[in-house]
Amino acid sequence: MTTTVVPGALDTASSRRSLRNATVGNVLEWYDWNVYAVFTPFFAPRVFNSHDAAGALVQSLMVFAVGFLTRPLGGLVLGRWGDRFGRRAALTLSMLLMAAGSLLIALCPAYSAAGRLAPLTILVARLAQGLSAGGEFAASSAYVVEIAPPGRKGLYSSVIYVSNALGNLLAALLGVVLIRALAPEQMNTWGWRVPFLLGAGLACYAFVLRRRMIESHLTGPTSAEADQERRPPVHKALLSRPGALWKVVGYTLSGTVVYYTWVVFLPSYAAADGHITRSAALLTTTVAQVLFIGVLPLTGMLADRVGTKPLLLTFATAFTVLTVPLLALAPKSFTWLLAVECAGLVLFSGYGAIAPLIMAEQFPPGSRVTGIGIPYGLTVSVFGGTAPYLAAAAANAGHAALYSAYVALASVASLGFFARIRRPHTPPESLPH
């Protein structure tokens, strides 16, 4: 039987220690997820069968997309695991899946030596990592909100996107270090394996940390009747709350489109336009994410004072009105790109800091991780995973303004959901059951 938390039972020191361990794991989780994209140009020609590097890169990015497709399944599998056996159990399983995926990629043979086994290994690895990423957000969101002291739930919620951004930066920083330290031939032969080996090792360390976390959700032997009430079958847990599921979709829609537009697409788009070098574009996104990391906790604390609704309405309204002009100005110069990146991520913090909290509020503890994981994973797969591709396709066709309008419309859709927020389904003070 695991150690459990009941309202008011978790002291501040234990809460902070558990938050720290969860955050470290989340940073390494998203480092492992994003390092694939950073080092794709180096391993793709050796792992995938193609007559040219561009073709191999396309194949590797197709496998990257597969990871998004399995995220809803991860939300289902790890969601039910977390609701049935506890958040800690789901978070440790998530870490094991991500570590296994990184280790598989690190040890993947070259196509010239193993033939089709090489790309198959990468595919299996990304499937495992997609399952992991799909369950990670839901389980960690439920966990940090449930361990948060009263009046600090916004602050604790903000660490989810803080750790996400830190993982992105860690992957990018390691890429810069290795590219500068190793010769091109070394990077292409064995250097690209280093970040995946490192990721697997760090994930094992995070697994140990997560094993030490205090459980936030009641688990263990109960009467059959109470157990059935607390852990209903998955179809009942979902179908009994269709409104809550749709709210998670609505809350996620604009957030995932905006995030992947600003963090993934915008720097490459600005560099491709010709006015800004790739190194300058990388610098702007690095500076913007550092600012983003600093602003998120402040936004979370503001939400604890004024509530979540004003911040969410500000976020959605701002991107409804400003997306078209901001994306038009971004590629014009380094200064404009830096300003647009920073402004966009600061405005996004009004959503990112409290998204885990508003989703967790929609479900009772017994179905909370599943309730978040499935609709969130589906929405990110359909809208977030496709956002960079749609943006690039529109820009290449000379219709960049159409994609800007698409982002604005996504913001309008979420604005409607935010405007209907009245009170949480489960009061924040009673979130840990």
Side-chain angles (χ1 to χ4, degrees):
M1 183 169 178
T2 58
T3 304
T4 61
V5 172
V6 295
L10 187 61
D11 62 87
T12 302
S14 297
S15 176
R16 289 177 178 174
R17 184 168 56 252
S18 292
L19 178 67
R20 182 178 64 250
N21 290 346
T23 302
V24 170
N26 212 23
V27 170
L28 298 178
E29 174 89 10
W30 295 112
Y31 160 83
D32 281 335
W33 174 257
N34 288 292
V35 80
Y36 180 96
V38 174
F39 289 90
T40 287
F42 299 102
F43 70 78
R46 292 188 171 273
V47 172
F48 293 91
N49 182 28
S50 180
H51 298 295
D52 55 78
L57 181 61
V58 169
Q59 293 179 50
S60 68
L61 291 177
M62 288 174 62
V63 174
F64 181 74
V66 169
F68 278 93
L69 296 178
T70 57
R71 286 177 69 162
L73 181 59
L76 171 61
V77 175
L78 271 75
R80 290 309 293 167
W81 192 265
D83 286 330
R84 185 168 181 81
F85 299 110
R87 318 312 188 209
R88 184 176 66 180
L91 290 170
T92 51
L93 177 58
S94 170
M95 211 73 255
L96 283 178
L97 286 170
M98 191 61 76
S102 290
L103 185 60
L104 275 176
I105 297 174
L107 302 179
C108 179
Y111 188 91
S112 58
R116 293 181 181 179
L117 179 62
L120 180 61
T121 300
I122 298 293
L123 178 61
V124 171
R126 288 305 286 182
L127 287 173
Q129 292 187 324
L131 290 172
S132 173
E136 175 73 17
F137 179 86
S140 57
S141 294
Y143 184 78
V144 299
V145 172
E146 289 170 353
I147 66 170
R152 289 290 183 269
K153 296 191 182 297
L155 175 61
Y156 274 53
S157 173
S158 69
V159 305
I160 300 298
Y161 268 95
V162 168
S163 53
N164 189 320
L166 284 172
N168 292 340
L169 286 177
L170 183 60
L173 179 61
L174 183 59
V176 172
V177 170
L178 287 177
I179 290 170
R180 293 193 174 189
L182 300 177
E185 184 177 350
Q186 292 174 312
M187 278 297 301
N188 291 328
T189 53
W190 59 267
W192 63 266
R193 299 181 187 273
V194 172
F196 295 103
L197 282 172
L198 180 62
L202 291 175
C204 291
Y205 168 68
F207 170 82
V208 174
L209 288 181
R210 286 185 165 183
R211 289 286 297 170
R212 298 173 182 170
M213 296 190 311
I214 294 176
E215 182 56 76
S216 69
H217 174 54
L218 181 64
T219 58
T222 61
S223 69
E225 182 180 351
D227 189 64
Q228 181 69 8
E229 174 66 23
R230 184 166 52 84
R231 297 195 294 255
V234 63
H235 65 279
K236 289 186 178 180
L238 298 178
L239 297 180
S240 65
R241 301 180 184 277
L245 296 173
W246 279 111
K247 284 179 182 179
V248 173
V249 172
Y251 296 161
T252 306
L253 177 59
S254 61
T256 191
V257 171
V258 167
Y259 184 77
Y260 281 98
T261 299
W262 250 256
V263 174
V264 178
F265 166 71
L266 194 55
S268 59
Y269 168 58
D273 194 71
H275 297 293
I276 304 167
T277 65
R278 292 190 179 277
S279 60
L282 179 61
L283 175 61
T284 62
T285 192
T286 301
V287 171
Q289 289 206 59
V290 170
L291 176 63
F292 180 52
I293 291 168
V295 168
L296 277 168
L298 300 178
T299 308
M301 288 189 286
L302 180 61
D304 287 327
R305 288 181 172 272
V306 304
T308 59
K309 187 173 181 177
L311 297 177
L312 294 168
L313 292 177
T314 300
F315 154 75
T317 302
F319 280 100
T320 297
V321 175
L322 299 176
T323 294
V324 173
L326 286 178
L327 292 184
L329 290 170
K332 291 188 177 299
S333 68
F334 172 83
T335 302
W336 272 118
L337 178 61
L338 180 61
V340 169
E341 287 259 29
C342 290
L345 289 183
V346 168
L347 290 171
F348 178 82
S349 70
Y351 167 84
I354 52 182
L357 173 58
I358 61 173
M359 294 180 196
E361 288 174 341
Q362 306 308 314
F363 304 94
S367 59
R368 183 170 291 146
V369 184
T370 311
I372 297 172
I374 295 177
Y376 174 81
L378 282 170
T379 309
V380 171
S381 296
V382 174
F383 295 99
T386 60
Y389 171 77
L390 292 176
N396 290 337
H399 302 300
L402 288 179
Y403 179 77
S404 299
Y406 169 74
V407 178
L409 286 174
S411 300
V412 171
S414 289
L415 182 62
F417 283 90
F418 297 147
R420 290 194 291 270
I421 291 178
R422 292 292 181 266
R423 56 180 297 178
H425 172 80
T426 308
E429 289 75 19
S430 63
L431 275 174
H433 239 299

